[in-house]
């Protein structure tokens, strides 16, 4: 049975609680239209919320979240997802991961200390090489006893020392005493001749090896001179018949002093003193 709205006089459909024209309640004609409209709107919102929620998202046992939670805004992952129009890529890094990545130094910052250390080492090596090249070296006589183009008197004294050693090696090896007379005289000549004769009696010959000869000091006074050297010698004794090795003496370093005289314009070794090993 239909009834008439007491507020506006319009008919109210059966089953409706409010007038569709003015919103007045069918049972209370004293309510104002604004109040009826407010109640009607609240009920309509509740009905809308039930209609909007899709049944596939929330099952019968899963309660639907309240509107305040649904409208709380996008999640963190959603905010970090770039706009597809900008051609970006989603990077799932949190705030802590981003801070850690920013704090890690670049490869260039780690390589720079290695480069600096290598440069310092190269500079040190270059300085050492330069020092060795320009630092004064001991006057070491090489195998050749040749004089320079314009020899000084000191050069001639050094040559006599070098030749005397070469002659001694040849005399002991070949058992030749005549070769000793090239740069020796007096006491040192007599001693070397006696040594060679002793080798002959023992049926031996010797092969001396001069490892090094450093001339440390040369002093010339008129026709006399003294030369101080540091020398390293080793010698091997052989049997004269089968040339087998009888004895080998290891290298020995000696401090020697040559006393020299000049005879007929030629420097000769007159005496040889041996000091303590340096």
């Amino acid at each position: 049975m239909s009834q008439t709205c007491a507020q506006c006089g319009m008919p109210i459909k059966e089953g409706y609680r409010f007038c569709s024209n003015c919103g007045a309640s069918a049972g209370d004609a004293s309510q104002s239209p604004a109040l009826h409209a407010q109640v009607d709107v609240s009920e309509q919102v509740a009905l809308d919320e039930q209609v909007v929620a899709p049944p596939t998202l929330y099952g019968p046992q899963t309660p639907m979240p309240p509107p305040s939670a649904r409208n709380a805004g996008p999640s963190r992952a959603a905010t970090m997802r770039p706009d597809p129009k900008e051609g970006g890529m989603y990077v799932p890094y949190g705030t802590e991961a981003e801070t850690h990545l920013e704090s890690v130094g670049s490869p260039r910052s780690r390589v720079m200390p290695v480069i600096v250390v290598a440069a310092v080492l190269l500079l040190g090596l270059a300085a050492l090489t330069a020092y060795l090249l320009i630092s004064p070296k001991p006057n070491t006589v090489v195998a050749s006893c040749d004089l320079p183009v314009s020899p000084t008197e000191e050069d001639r004294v050094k040559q006599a020392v070098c030749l005397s050693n070469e002659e001694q090696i040849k005399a002991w090896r070949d058992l030749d005493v005549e070769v000793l007379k090239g740069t020796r005289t007096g006491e040192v000549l007599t001693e070397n001749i006696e040594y060679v004769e002793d080798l002959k009696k023992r049926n031996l010959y010797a092969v001396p090896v001069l490892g090094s000869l450093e001339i440390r000091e040369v002093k010339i006074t008129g026709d006399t001179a003294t030369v101080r050297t540091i020398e390293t010698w080793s010698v091997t004794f052989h049997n004269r018949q089968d040339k087998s090795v009888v004895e080998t003496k290891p290298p020995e370093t000696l401090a020697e002093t040559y006393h020299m005289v000049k005879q007929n314009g030629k420097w000769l070794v007159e005496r040889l003193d041996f000091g303590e090993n340096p």
Side-chain angles (χ1 to χ4, degrees), residues 6-26:
Q7 183 72 20
C8 64
M10 294 295 293
I12 299 175
K13 293 182 180 182
E14 185 177 359
Y16 279 68
R17 295 175 55 193
F18 302 99
C19 177
S20 60
N21 182 45
C22 65
S25 174

Side-chain angles (χ1 to χ4, degrees), residues 76 80 90-98 101:
R76 182 190 299 182
M80 289 190 294
Y90 172 59
V91 182
Y93 289 148
T95 305
E96 297 180 357
E98 293 176 359
L101 291 175

Side-chain angles (χ1 to χ4, degrees), residues 51-82:
V51 173
V52 169
T56 57
L57 293 179
Y58 302 94
Q61 297 181 355
T62 304
M64 183 176 181
S68 60
R70 296 200 305 272
N71 298 328
S75 65
R76 182 190 299 182
T79 58
M80 289 190 294
R81 188 185 301 274

Side-chain angles (χ1 to χ4, degrees), residues 194-215:
E194 291 176 354
Y195 189 82
V196 171
E197 295 296 336
D198 184 65
L199 288 174
K200 291 179 181 180
K201 291 177 182 179
R202 297 167 59 189
N203 199 28
L204 299 173
Y205 70 91
V207 180
V209 176
L210 177 60
S212 64
L213 169 61
E214 292 184 10
I215 298 179

